[in-house]
């Protein structure tokens, strides 16, 4: 199945994850579903914590699920939340997503039904990439893909 054919499934997975969100502090539920170049889908939701800074965003939870399953090549991410307006990913999640490609398509849908679409490059024009700032300290490390 191509990524195009699978947008319905991607949205459904993001919404399913949003229902599972653990957000007792903000009440703001977020779901994210990330689609690989060959159509596989991995979902995540926000997971809050009493120590607020420990909270994980839905997008980064989805990235973790994808990477743990062996996938690192992403085509698009679908985000949904309990906000009426579509939420853009936060700055930390933009940087996290950019690790796997600036051309990622980012779709966000609000509870009001409206959606917005960006490329990651639009959301984060100047990503930080370590290999552009070479340091001789650890030449044997694994290279990013
Ligand atoms: N949140 C996300 O899950 N993704 C974002 O891109 C923005 C914020 C979550 C974190 C927190 O649990 C709640 O939304 C309110 O900030």
């Amino acid at each position: 199945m191509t990524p195009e054919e699978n947008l319905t499934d991607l949205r459904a997975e993001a919404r399913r994850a949003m229902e599972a969100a653990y957000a007792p502090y903000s009440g703001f539920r977020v779901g994210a579903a990330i689609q690989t170049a060959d159509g596989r889908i991995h979902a995540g939701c926000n997971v809050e914590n009493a120590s607020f800074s420990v909270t994980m965003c839905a997008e980064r939870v989805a990235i973790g699920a994808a990477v743990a399953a062996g996938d690192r090549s992403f085509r698009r991410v679908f985000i949904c939340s309990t906000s009426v307006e579509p939420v853009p990913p936060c700055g930390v999640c933009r940087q996290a997503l950019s690790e796997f490609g600036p051309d990622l398509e980012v779709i966000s849908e609000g509870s009001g039904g409206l959606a917005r679409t960006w490329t990651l490059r639009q959301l984060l024009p100047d990503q930080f990439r370590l290999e552009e700032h070479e340091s001789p300290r650890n030449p044997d490390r694994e290279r990013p893909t």
Side-chain angles (χ1 to χ4, degrees), residues 22-23 26-31 45-49 55-60 79 87-91 93-94:
Y22 179 69
S26 73
F28 191 89
R29 293 170 176 272
V30 186
C45 61
N46 53 333
V47 182
E48 297 188 343
N49 191 276
T55 290
M56 293 181 289
C57 290
E59 296 90 329
R60 280 176 289 138
I79 303 161
V87 287
C90 80
C93 289
R94 294 178 196 200

Side-chain angles (χ1 to χ4, degrees), residues 7-144:
L7 190 56
T8 309
D9 289 353
L10 189 66
R11 180 175 183 272
E13 281 300 300
R15 293 180 69 85
R16 185 194 55 73
M18 179 178 71
E19 295 304 323
Y22 179 69
Y25 303 103
S26 73
F28 191 89
R29 293 170 176 272
V30 186
I34 201 157
Q35 191 175 46
T36 65
D38 46 6
R40 282 193 298 281
I41 293 172
H42 303 279
C45 61
N46 53 333
V47 182
E48 297 188 343
N49 191 276
S51 177
F52 293 169
S53 66
V54 177
T55 290
M56 293 181 289
C57 290
E59 296 90 329
R60 280 176 289 138
V61 172
I63 292 169
V67 173
D71 284 326
R72 297 178 180 179
S73 177
F74 305 139
R75 163 87 175 81
R76 60 163 73 99
V77 60
F78 193 104
I79 303 161
C80 59
S81 78
T82 44
S83 158
V84 176
E85 300 295 329
V87 287
C90 80
V92 169
C93 289
R94 294 178 196 200
Q95 176 66 27
L97 289 164
S98 79
E99 181 77 15
F100 302 102
D103 296 319
L104 185 77
E105 183 182 13
V106 180
I107 305 170
S108 181
E109 184 183 68
S111 63
L114 279 179
R116 292 186 67 186
T117 303
W118 308 265
T119 64
L120 193 60
R121 206 185 296 276
Q122 286 175 304
L123 294 173
L124 187 69
D126 283 308
Q127 68 178 135
F128 173 71
R129 294 190 71 84
L130 192 58
E131 63 269 29
E132 287 165 11
H133 306 278
E134 260 329 325
S135 151
R137 262 190 307 153
N138 185 8
D140 298 329
R141 73 182 193 277
E142 182 191 4
R143 297 283 151 180

